[in-house]
Amino acid sequence: MKNRKIELKWALVFVGLQLGWMLLERVTGLHGERIDQHVTFTNFFAIPAIVVYAFALVDKRNNFYLGTMTYLQGMTSGLIITLFVTVVSPLTQLIVSEVISPEYFGNAIAYATSEGILTQEEAVEYFSLENYIIQGLEGTPLMGILTSVVVAFFTRKKTI
């Protein structure tokens, strides 16, 4: 585990970023009166998420691999971060749903049904803690793998 301290540190930074982003969304009304804009603005989370992965891999390169890192080493580090973030994603979602924004699901259900996007039954099923936990367990590894593939390419560094 000593070899994975950097990945654990950055996974915790990433989870902190996720929680902070959700708080920002709630405070700006994206979980309430501006819920119609939520689907658009929530996608901007990708920008700071990629930045965190980049900082993480540069940290790993400079402080573990002594300034050089192969693509495979970067990918491995990114995938370990993704694994850590995925494992805690149910807890992260629980904190968001119960502490940060407990009104989100009700507001999302009301919006989706009033706009005719989903039926009441579909909305209740979709906007639920259980479904969001499942989505997190599926989406987190997918996005983490994609991010790791790209960021590892740009953070690799050969010896001079």
Side-chain angles (χ1 to χ4, degrees):
M1 190 62 175
K2 182 180 178 186
N3 293 345
R4 299 299 170 204
K5 282 174 31 177
I6 291 173
E7 287 85 354
L8 181 58
K9 173 182 83 173
W10 285 100
L12 293 173
V13 168
F14 191 91
V15 169
L17 175 67
Q18 284 179 306
L19 294 172
W21 187 271
M22 290 297 107
L23 181 61
L24 180 65
E25 283 187 359
R26 185 187 64 77
V27 168
T28 59
L30 293 174
H31 294 183
E33 63 271 7
R34 292 186 185 95
I35 202 159
D36 60 314
Q37 299 170 19
H38 179 261
V39 72
T40 301
F41 286 101
T42 199
N43 291 313
F44 286 106
F45 177 73
I47 297 167
I50 292 167
V51 169
V52 166
Y53 268 74
F55 282 143
L57 296 190
V58 168
D59 186 13
K60 184 73 173 191
R61 181 186 71 204
N62 292 339
N63 295 306
F64 186 80
Y65 292 119
L66 306 174
T68 64
M69 183 173 70
T70 66
Y71 178 74
L72 183 59
Q73 289 168 328
M75 268 289 300
T76 301
S77 185
L79 293 176
I80 297 295
I81 293 167
T82 299
L83 177 64
F84 288 150
V85 172
T86 301
V87 167
V88 299
S89 69
L91 177 60
T92 305
Q93 186 57 56
L94 183 66
I95 292 168
V96 170
S97 300
E98 299 292 326
V99 178
I100 294 175
S101 192
E103 71 285 349
Y104 173 73
F105 290 136
N107 292 340
I109 291 167
Y111 173 73
T113 56
S114 72
E115 294 295 313
I117 298 167
L118 298 171
T119 67
Q120 180 71 24
E121 283 180 2
E122 292 169 334
V124 167
E125 184 178 327
Y126 184 81
F127 295 107
S128 67
L129 178 59
E130 180 181 344
N131 190 46
Y132 270 50
I133 287 174
I134 291 167
Q135 287 181 38
L137 290 170
E138 293 171 348
T140 301
L142 182 65
M143 294 309 297
I145 290 166
L146 179 62
T147 303
S148 297
V149 165
V150 173
V151 173
F153 177 80
F154 289 104
T155 57
R156 73 186 196 273
K157 190 172 183 183
K158 297 179 183 179
T159 57
I160 297 174

